[in-house]
Amino acid sequence: MARHWADFQYEIYLNGTSGAVPRLPTDLTRLEELAEQRLGPGPAGYVAGGAGDGSTARANRAALARRRILPRMLRDVRERDLTTEVLGRTLPAPLALAPVGVLSIVHPDAECAAARAAAAQGVPYVLSSASSTPMEQVAEAMGDAERWFQLYWGKDREVTRSFLTRARAAGYSVLVVTLDTPLLAWRPRDLDQAYLPFLHGVGTANYFTDPAFRAGLAEPVQEDPQAAVLHFLGLFGDAGHTWPDLGFLRGLWDGPIVLKGVLHPDDARLAADAGMDGVVVSNHGGRQVAGSVAAADALPRVAEAAGDRLTVLFDSGVRTGDDVFKALALGARAVLLGRPYVYGLGLDGQAGVEHVIRCLLAEFDLTLALCGHTRPAAVTPADLTETPA
């Protein structure tokens, strides 16, 4: 039976009759400011910051704001079903939690808390290669819930092979390959604090526990941690990969492969030609290319190029339920939510992440209904109008 996500508002109102109010704001755009006050300048800048002067992150929000919804009236929307088919999986809503690394910098329960929250609400959790917690431990925290693995595709083929073998054994079902980070961008908020968690061995858990990675060390990690960090930095990214190299990954992974960071329609066509299953239209939340096209502006052309050959997902700039609606109208099948759940984690652990998921999907459910639709697949470009910039 379909879940009625919108009922969360009545749960909140009913709790209010006994004097209880939500621990976190229900306007998820307010979480960033609260998290900035709670976290230190290093972690706050790492999560909230972007490339260059932040123009791409601002453009992501502006591109969504520029699209306005055209509600339709007198349609029967009493019964709604947010269930969505994505990559052969049935999800309770068109949502997954995006891969975000080094979550221990915002909360000690780190990735396990976020993963448990996703599992509790039934949405997939995408674990970052750069997690603070080994992938097996996160999988154990999730039980049999849907989980995907994000790969930072580095220089060492044996480490890549080992990662994918481990991920498969731990029950990760979809591989998400991030393409837009062969190099770290110029990020002034991090640079001004000289803050890079990896240099302190944070966000390296999957590497430091990996047999192929450890085989490349002269001494065990615990005996020479600095050498391990330097080895990690030497293989983390690879700016030499090209489209034919995807055949190596395809040969290692028998499930769906999604390429994250696609903004150009020709790259969507190349992904399909390479036998990939999907793309994530994303500019890494504005963290990689200052002055980049906004993800929402790129989405329609990528979706058109993908046609029925690829599943198109979306991230970068999503903060609210109406943002989810707009992303679907622009051509996405589902969205990956990033920073808001990280702020929720930093402010209130697992409960904070669950709050963010429930708020987002309650608002999306209500937006869907109030615009005359009963299922996500019914949303089309005709549901939007665009205002001048």
Side-chain angles (χ1 to χ4, degrees), residues 9-310:
Q9 69 168 330
Y10 296 112
E11 181 182 320
I12 292 171
Y13 289 135
L14 286 171
N15 286 340
T17 62
S18 59
V21 298
R23 287 165 57 91
L24 296 181
T26 56
D27 172 1
L28 300 181
T29 66
R30 293 179 54 203
L31 295 179
E32 180 173 342
E33 182 182 358
L34 292 175
E36 292 247 12
Q37 295 168 5
R38 182 78 57 88
L39 301 173
Y46 189 82
V47 177
D53 68 354
S55 68
T56 302
R58 292 192 297 274
N60 286 335
R61 293 296 298 140
L64 287 164
R66 205 169 61 245
R67 272 85 181 184
R68 310 305 297 176
I69 299 169
L70 284 165
R72 298 297 305 275
M73 300 297 120
L74 292 176
R75 293 179 170 184
D76 184 352
V77 294
R78 289 172 296 179
E79 292 298 324
R80 298 175 304 285
D81 185 353
L82 269 56
T83 301
T84 305
E85 294 292 323
V86 177
L87 299 165
R89 282 134 188 85
T90 301
L91 309 186
L95 178 72
L97 296 192
V100 180
V102 295
L103 290 183
S104 62
I105 67 173
V106 301
H107 194 278
D109 291 341
E111 291 82 11
C112 286
R116 284 194 299 267
Q121 297 303 319
V123 303
Y125 178 69
V126 190
L127 179 71
S128 172
S129 285
S131 58
S132 307
T133 315
M135 62 182 88
E136 293 83 1
Q137 191 175 329
V138 177
E140 187 176 351
M142 295 191 75
D144 60 0
E146 185 73 24
R147 49 188 175 269
W148 304 352
F149 182 72
Q150 177 269 342
L151 176 70
Y152 279 118
W153 190 9
K155 290 188 177 76
D156 191 321
R157 282 192 161 207
E158 293 312 307
V159 171
T160 297
R161 188 190 308 274
S162 182
F163 269 28
L164 300 194
T165 300
R166 290 170 61 193
R168 259 308 195 197
Y172 294 87
S173 63
V174 173
L175 178 63
V176 179
V177 184
T178 296
L179 300 183
D180 59 15
T181 319
L183 305 164
L184 281 185
W186 188 256
R187 299 175 183 173
R189 287 193 67 172
D190 296 339
L191 291 163
D192 290 351
Q193 299 289 330
Y195 184 81
L196 188 63
F198 306 115
L199 293 179
H200 305 281
V202 179
T204 57
N206 287 315
Y207 297 85
F208 287 7
T209 57
D210 190 81
F213 177 89
R214 292 161 73 105
L217 299 175
E219 303 287 343
V221 173
Q222 61 272 22
E223 291 185 20
D224 193 346
Q226 192 59 31
V229 166
L230 292 174
H231 186 53
F232 162 81
L233 292 174
L235 60 77
F236 177 73
D238 188 343
H241 285 139
T242 60
W243 289 97
D245 295 324
L246 287 169
F248 173 69
L249 299 181
R250 183 75 279 177
L252 294 177
W253 189 266
D254 60 2
I257 302 180
V258 176
L259 302 183
K260 185 174 183 290
V262 170
L263 295 167
H264 196 291
D266 286 350
D267 285 346
R269 296 183 186 99
L270 288 166
D273 292 344
M276 301 295 102
D277 301 279
V279 293
V280 184
V281 176
S282 167
N283 56 30
H284 217 100
R287 289 170 62 76
Q288 279 301 100
V289 178
S292 167
V293 61
D297 285 337
L299 176 55
R301 292 179 67 210
V302 172
E304 182 182 11
D308 58 4
R309 300 173 72 196
L310 296 168

